[in-house]
Amino acid sequence: MRELLADWRYRLLFHWYAWEKGNVVFFSLLPLPVVLLGFLVHFAYEDWSRIEAERRRRVDLQCLAENVYYEARGEPVSGQYAVAEVTMNRVRARQFPSTVCDVVHEKRWDPLRKRLVGAFSWTELERLPRPRGPAWDRARAVAEAVYDQKEAPRVEGALYYHAEHIEPSWAKEKRLVAEIGRHRFYR
């Protein structure tokens, strides 16, 4: 067996020394363009992912700020934080859409009204004044703080709320979490 193994090694070494080495260099460099292309695709994808995440954040913050502005601009700041928190709680909940804009603009069928009804009342209005002024600046600051989780939760787990002057039928089935300003928040 040793003789066979030694003979095999001898033949391999002989072929290695006798073989033209130019072919080895050529064949070893042959996959180099594919590897370089792979690196380019990898870095381009990373860059695209970063840009897409920044765009998604910008769009989400715009929708969240609009919701805070139109739903709670006359409320105390704690009420605005609570409205933003409910919106973000819905994004994380299974029974709601998974993006901020989809949650804000969600419509569901209302059998009593026999039509699609917006989750937030302002989304049903056709013409709205463009958000501006200090109330808009505050709504954007609140939206960013809640989106980035820089604030402690005020209405932990709350998925629903309504103005205190109305009594929706669904409120009887939910657990009241807090009353902030002129809104009641439910889990």
Side-chain angles (χ1 to χ4, degrees):
M1 182 72 166
R2 278 195 171 150
E3 291 174 13
L4 187 61
L5 191 58
D7 187 42
W8 181 79
R9 273 190 267 165
Y10 174 75
R11 285 184 183 180
L12 186 63
L13 285 174
F14 174 76
H15 285 293
W16 174 252
Y17 288 120
W19 192 34
E20 178 64 39
K21 301 296 190 287
N23 294 337
V24 172
V25 172
F26 173 76
F27 285 114
S28 64
L29 292 178
L30 197 58
L32 187 62
V34 174
V35 170
L36 290 176
L37 184 64
F39 276 116
L40 286 173
V41 167
H42 171 74
F43 290 121
Y45 178 76
E46 272 188 6
D47 199 36
W48 177 84
S49 296
R50 182 185 53 78
I51 290 169
E52 182 59 25
E54 289 172 8
R55 188 195 68 76
R56 174 91 260 146
R57 175 184 161 71
R58 231 178 16 259
V59 169
D60 283 350
L61 284 174
Q62 177 71 21
C63 288
L64 187 58
E66 285 175 352
N67 202 40
V68 170
Y69 180 82
Y70 290 119
E71 285 284 309
R73 73 175 166 269
E75 295 293 309
V77 174
S78 60
Q80 293 180 4
Y81 276 104
V83 167
E85 189 178 332
V86 165
T87 307
M88 293 307 295
N89 287 346
R90 285 184 175 201
V91 170
R92 291 185 280 277
R94 284 186 179 188
Q95 66 264 37
F96 294 98
S98 59
T99 68
V100 175
C101 290
D102 288 346
V103 164
V104 169
H105 296 285
E106 178 184 27
K107 299 214 184 293
R108 293 192 181 197
W109 182 256
D110 183 0
L112 293 174
R113 298 181 203 168
K114 295 187 181 359
R115 68 177 176 92
L116 290 172
V117 176
F120 300 100
S121 58
W122 69 270
T123 60
E124 292 186 29
L125 304 174
E126 295 211 12
R127 289 220 178 257
L128 291 168
R130 193 172 66 81
R132 61 190 164 123
W136 174 241
D137 295 337
R138 186 171 45 254
R140 285 191 355 229
V142 166
E144 189 170 343
V146 172
Y147 189 85
D148 293 335
Q149 299 177 347
K150 292 179 181 175
E151 288 288 320
R154 288 168 167 71
V155 289
E156 185 131 15
L159 295 173
Y160 307 94
Y161 68 90
H162 65 81
E164 67 181 3
H165 65 276
I166 61 170
E167 279 297 326
S169 58
W170 57 259
K172 295 173 191 141
E173 302 167 5
K174 308 292 181 200
R175 190 168 69 95
L176 183 66
V177 175
E179 290 186 46
I180 303 173
R182 292 180 303 237
H183 285 114
R184 293 183 182 147
F185 297 87
Y186 299 86
R187 188 174 296 164

